[in-house]
């Protein structure tokens, strides 16, 4: 196979080059990371009247924001029953509502900022790998309707053909509120929107050190120079490092990989995914897949648990192709044209977290469920900063930081503190999840 080891989505858009600006001495808010979280925060902060500088070690959208599957999904990574057992019905209902609101937020942002990113409410389909997983779907759909007032539809095995051209599953669950997007176009549009609002973006500007300077704020040393900021937003997701040590120890970086085929004939594409859904399966070690807007099959999974290197990417191409053929034998002759990897950010409780730690504002822990949530929580963090700055919310419209339910849950560290930011346990975790998939 000759495969481009690059992100397909980046072939479909020109990522904007930020306007040249003098390096600032002082800003109200410094944002670390120019992905969905950082750019969404920067846009809202600048719209609220704050001076904002965004720093990325690489380029706009270089991280997970341009590398993901573009699935804009309802719900959280963990099933509702686990969330209710852990946080109670009320708190879970608020978090679930936030997941729905996050999709509305992205839809509105795309419309307001006129971002051509193929955002479409095509819905998602979760497919059951075992008959008992379909029973779980039934219980989950009943609970979601009863406890959160949100409707999902069960698709019994004998009707699954209307949703997917694969014979290996035991039924499905459809949620029509989910959407699909071209993530590289979204992050490019968000960067332009943040700049239009007045934020400045500095690429190739690794933040090396963040130091508290009493009540005056922070001193930030970057590859390009040093500046002072009243507030700092950490938006580094799976690429969080020792620069912010407390967050580094709370986030596990996990690799996820994607292959993309050549453009498929119309008839074949319609057979594989008749309703053009965002599809994922019910395993822990799951596959996720969809058609791209130009009719390729995009097929992803946790083919290797470690973050991306040239060798994990190459190995993943083989593993994912074989997984794809198990689902869709019809694709045996389809050429694989692209493969890439990216890094996910898992907290130890597999939940998103957004709030303040040691005085730093942050939002991360999206666990592969972050396209909408990161964009939404970036805005929430921005509003909490603006509200604190302006006292009663002053000039800030729609400022509702209290409605960020993820600021109110505990953000755990590793059990027994057995983690220093190096995920030595990933091979064991990978084996554990494979075993769980076999047993459950
Ligand atoms: C392969 C893959 C598939 C995925 N699929 C989906 C999906 O289909 N649906 C979904 O909802 N989610 C998905 N996700 C998750 C989603 O992409 C992320 O949750 C989301 O993009 C996180 O955005 P972010 O802005 O927080 O982080 P990122 O986009 O990762 O940005 C972090 C940025 O921080 C920068 N940075 C780090 N340290 C520093 C420093 N010290 N100084 C300066 N800059 C720094 C990095 O260069 C990087 O650009 C997927 C992720 C991957 C990797």
């Amino acid at each position: 196979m000759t495969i481009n080891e690059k992100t397909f989505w980046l072939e479909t858009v020109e990522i904007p080059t930020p306007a040249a600006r003098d390096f600032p001495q002082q800003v109200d808010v410094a944002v670390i990371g120019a992905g969905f979280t950082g750019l969404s925060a920067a846009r809202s902060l600048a719209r609220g009247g704050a001076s904002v500088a965004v720093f990325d070690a690489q380029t706009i959208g270089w991280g997970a924001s341009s590398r993901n599957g573009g699935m804009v999904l309802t719900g959280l990574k963990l099933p509702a029953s686990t969330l209710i057992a852990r946080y109670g019905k009320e708190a879970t209902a608020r978090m679930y509502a936030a997941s729905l609101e996050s999709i509305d937020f992205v839809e509105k942002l795309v419309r307001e900022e006129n971002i051509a990113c193929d955002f479409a409410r095509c819905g998602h389909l979760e497919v059951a790998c075992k008959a008992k997983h379909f029973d779980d779907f039934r219980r989950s759909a009943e609970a979601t309707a009863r406890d959160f007032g949100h409707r999902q539809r069960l698709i019994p095995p004998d009707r699954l053909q209307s949703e997917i051209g694969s014979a290996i599953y035991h039924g499905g669950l459809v949620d029509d509120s989910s959407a699909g997007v071209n993530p590289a176009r979204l992050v490019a549009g968000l960067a332009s929107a943040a700049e239009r609002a007045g934020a400045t973006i500095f690429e190739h500007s690794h933040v090396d050190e963040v130091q508290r300077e009493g009540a005056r704020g922070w001193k930030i040393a970057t590859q390009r120079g040093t500046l002072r900021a009243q507030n700092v937003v950490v938006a580094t997701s799976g690429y969080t490092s020792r620069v912010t040590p407390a967050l580094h120890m709370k986030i596990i970086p996990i690799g996820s990989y994607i292959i993309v085929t050549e453009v498929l004939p119309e008839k074949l594409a319609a057979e594989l995914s008749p309703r053009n859904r965002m599809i994922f399966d019910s395993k822990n070690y799951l596959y996720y897949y969809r058609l791209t807007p130009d009719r390729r099959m995009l097929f992803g999974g946790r083919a290797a648990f470690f973050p991306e290197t040239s060798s994990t990417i190459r190995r993943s191409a083989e593993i994912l192709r074989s997984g794809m053929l198990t689902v869709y034998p019809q694709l045996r002759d389809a050429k694989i044209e692209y493969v890439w990897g990216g890094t996910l950010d898992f907290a130890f409780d597999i939940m998103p977290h957004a709030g303040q730690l040691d005085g730093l504002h942050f939002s991360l822990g999206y666990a592969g469920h972050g396209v909408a949530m990161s964009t939404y929580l970036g805005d929430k963090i921005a509003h909490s900063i603006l509200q604190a700055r302006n006292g009663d919310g002053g000039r800030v419209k729609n400022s509702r930081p209290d409605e960020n339910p993820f600021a109110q849950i505990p953000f755990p560290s590793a059990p027994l503190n057995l983690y220093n930011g190096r995920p030595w346990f990933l091979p064991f975790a990978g084996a554990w999840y494979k075993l769980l998939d076999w047993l459950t």
Side-chain angles (χ1 to χ4, degrees):
M1 284 194 281
T2 320
I3 309 176
N4 291 306
E5 278 184 37
K6 53 184 173 182
T7 311
F8 161 72
W9 299 119
L10 288 174
E11 305 281 85
T12 67
V13 63
E14 185 118 5
I15 297 288
T17 306
R21 301 260 187 236
D22 290 340
F23 194 85
Q25 299 291 304
Q26 168 95 42
V27 289
D28 294 331
V29 188
V31 177
I32 314 176
F36 296 141
T37 305
L39 294 170
S40 176
R43 169 182 174 268
S44 301
L45 283 160
R47 281 160 59 118
S51 59
V52 191
V54 183
F55 300 97
D56 200 287
Q58 308 285 340
T59 47
I60 288 167
W62 172 90
S65 296
S66 65
R67 302 167 188 241
N68 59 74
M71 302 189 173
V72 189
L73 304 173
T74 57
L76 299 163
K77 177 72 184 165
L78 292 176
S81 54
T82 309
L83 297 172
I84 290 173
R86 197 190 279 172
Y87 302 111
K89 228 178 244 181
E90 236 176 76
T92 303
R94 281 199 298 275
M95 292 191 257
Y96 199 89
S99 86
L100 301 179
E101 212 180 293
S102 71
I103 304 179
D104 296 342
F105 180 80
V106 172
E107 187 170 36
K108 183 160 169 268
L109 173 94
V110 164
R111 201 176 46 240
E112 273 179 14
E113 300 290 358
N114 208 6
I115 303 175
C117 59
D118 301 304
F119 179 93
R121 291 267 188 175
C122 48
H124 82 237
L125 167 71
E126 185 174 3
V127 279
C129 294
K130 296 181 181 177
K132 60 182 165 185
H133 294 179
F134 187 63
D135 297 336
D136 296 340
F137 287 0
R138 178 174 293 112
R139 280 191 289 275
S140 158
E142 282 166 9
T144 305
R146 186 185 59 237
D147 298 331
F148 313 141
H150 181 68
R151 195 169 163 269
Q152 297 171 317
R153 282 184 296 116
L154 281 171
I155 312 291
D158 61 343
R159 285 205 285 117
L160 199 55
Q161 212 62 21
S162 66
E163 289 283 344
I164 181 170
S166 172
I168 67 167
Y169 296 113
H170 299 261
L173 184 67
V174 164
D175 191 324
D176 290 306
S177 299
S178 291
V181 75
N182 175 329
R185 286 187 174 195
L186 176 59
V187 77
L190 194 47
S192 301
E195 281 202 303
R196 274 197 303 278
T200 49
I201 303 173
F202 295 91
E203 295 184 320
H204 307 294
S205 302
H206 186 273
V207 171
D208 301 324
E209 203 178 357
V210 181
Q211 253 183 328
R212 187 58 133 162
E213 275 203 328
R216 279 179 303 151
W218 302 85
K219 183 173 157 197
I220 297 137
T222 82
Q223 202 176 337
R224 301 266 292 270
T226 298
L227 79 156
R228 288 179 166 75
Q230 269 164 19
N231 288 286
V232 177
V233 175
V234 183
T236 47
S237 188
Y239 301 91
T240 301
S241 68
R242 284 177 202 286
V243 172
T244 51
L247 288 169
H248 188 217
M249 308 243 286
K250 286 178 184 278
I251 288 294
I252 313 161
I254 292 187
S256 189
Y257 297 84
I258 291 179
I259 53 174
V260 168
T261 66
E262 63 187 327
V263 174
L264 302 174
E266 222 167 296
K267 197 160 161 248
L268 176 59
E271 176 194 327
L272 302 177
S273 181
R275 295 176 199 271
N276 205 8
R277 304 268 194 220
M278 304 290 114
I279 307 176
F280 53 93
D281 71 34
S282 58
K283 293 196 302 293
N284 290 296
Y285 219 92
L286 85 176
Y287 292 133
Y288 51 93
Y289 44 99
R290 60 170 288 184
L291 294 171
T292 60
D294 67 346
R295 259 195 356 257
R296 301 162 186 269
M297 176 54 66
L298 175 154
F299 196 91
R302 223 139 289 153
F305 248 67
F306 277 109
E308 67 277 14
T309 61
S310 198
S311 119
T312 57
I313 290 174
R314 262 197 309 277
R315 259 190 300 127
S316 297
E318 297 294 337
I319 295 169
L320 288 174
R321 179 168 182 274
S322 139
M324 183 179 77
L325 295 187
T326 315
V327 178
Y328 290 127
Q330 306 94 308
L331 286 173
R332 101 188 48 83
D333 296 326
K335 278 214 290 289
I336 308 297
E337 293 197 339
Y338 297 90
V339 59
W340 69 92
T343 304
L344 307 173
D345 51 343
F346 275 70
F348 282 91
D349 58 359
I350 318 187
M351 290 297 289
H353 295 277
Q356 262 185 285
L357 186 65
D358 299 340
L360 294 172
H361 297 269
F362 66 87
S363 178
L364 29 63
Y366 308 116
H369 220 88
V371 171
M373 196 53 91
S374 58
T375 314
Y376 174 77
L377 289 180
D379 172 73
K380 288 284 177 214
I381 291 295
H383 282 294
S384 68
I385 294 172
L386 289 168
Q387 193 160 55
R389 243 167 67 86
N390 299 345
D392 60 353
R395 295 177 283 168
V396 188
K397 274 197 219 134
N398 303 324
S399 181
R400 297 170 303 171
D402 52 316
E403 285 177 27
N404 166 8
F406 304 99
Q408 289 146 24
I409 57 173
F411 191 173
S413 299
L416 309 172
N417 282 327
L418 282 173
Y419 181 56
N420 63 359
R422 253 174 215 280
W424 52 269
F425 43 78
L426 283 188
F428 305 105
W432 170 245
Y433 281 120
K434 278 187 178 159
L435 180 68
L436 274 186
D437 282 332
W438 185 64
L439 291 173
T440 58

